[in-house]
Amino acid sequence: MAHVTVEGGEVVVRLGLREGLAARRRQIRVPVSALREVHVERSWWRVLRGRAGSGTWSPGRCSGVRNRPDGKDFIAVKAQSTVLCLELAEGAPFRRVAVSVPDAARAERAVREVMPQDPGPEHGTGPGPRDAPRRPPLQHEGGTADDHGRQPGAPSRTGSGAGRPPLDAERVERANADRVRHDHVVPGTPGARS
């Protein structure tokens, strides 16, 4: 597993032997000024964004670089572990560094202590690290959101008919003309037929 420390003005991610060999590097150094957000992800597979690039991508153990349209992510995660995610500003070598660490909560606190309070105009006008929107907790984390982060009742982009034209009343009437309709009445209630 990786170990994350803060040394001067840099966050240093030292990879374990296995992750280092798979990713073809032993450490990642990130300037503190490039940090935009840090958070812990309990579902290791949720950090896998984009397409697999250089590295090793076997089931349950992923180490290397993933390519995305807006940059690259560095990943060193293994199944059944918590992952420390460092979101970085534009211009950094990676957009995200996500690594499995033994004590993710402690590593998150250590990095949060040195994070800049204001991203500054040179890094964009987005929210600061402490104001960034947080995803809702998933069901296995005690929350009510589904695996896509949607709250109950929120429409799906693909399953709710979004993007389809409204129903044509004439076609609906023709389709239902041959259907036999029955009144649904619960036996034993007033108005029920015997």
Side-chain angles (χ1 to χ4, degrees):
M1 284 190 136
H3 292 282
V4 177
T5 58
V6 178
E7 297 176 3
E10 293 182 319
V11 176
V12 180
V13 179
R14 287 189 175 80
L15 302 175
L17 180 61
R18 190 178 240 176
E19 290 90 3
L21 289 172
R24 296 182 185 94
R25 62 176 68 201
R26 289 301 311 260
Q27 68 181 0
I28 303 280
R29 291 184 169 270
V30 176
V32 170
S33 61
L35 290 172
R36 290 295 156 256
E37 183 186 353
V38 61
H39 62 92
V40 173
E41 180 60 63
R42 306 239 179 267
S43 302
W44 66 274
W45 53 269
R46 291 183 64 90
V47 302
L48 302 177
R49 311 184 299 183
R51 295 173 18 130
S54 63
T56 301
W57 310 101
S58 59
R61 189 173 290 271
C62 302
S63 297
V65 176
R66 294 189 69 91
N67 300 313
R68 300 190 53 214
D70 63 340
K72 297 181 178 191
D73 290 353
F74 180 81
I75 307 292
V77 297
K78 67 179 195 170
Q80 310 305 323
S81 67
T82 55
V83 179
L84 179 71
C85 295
L86 305 173
E87 304 290 341
L88 307 177
E90 288 185 39
F94 300 107
R95 296 296 298 188
R96 173 190 279 175
V97 174
V99 292
S100 295
V101 292
D103 189 356
R106 185 171 55 100
E108 179 187 23
R109 283 191 304 271
V111 172
R112 240 181 233 291
E113 288 177 4
V114 298
M115 279 182 67
Q117 294 295 322
D118 182 23
E122 70 275 4
H123 295 296
T125 58
R130 297 191 199 311
D131 301 329
R134 304 288 291 179
R135 70 164 176 77
L138 303 176
Q139 292 173 355
H140 71 277
E141 297 169 340
T144 57
D146 67 4
D147 285 344
H148 303 286
R150 290 188 301 260
Q151 292 294 340
S156 168
R157 290 185 301 210
T158 58
S160 66
R164 290 187 183 163
L167 295 176
D168 181 10
E170 183 181 320
R171 288 183 64 203
V172 171
E173 192 174 308
R174 278 194 318 245
N176 289 332
D178 297 334
R179 293 181 70 187
V180 177
R181 302 272 182 173
H182 299 286
D183 291 333
H184 297 285
V185 179
V186 178
T189 59
R193 290 181 246 154
S194 299

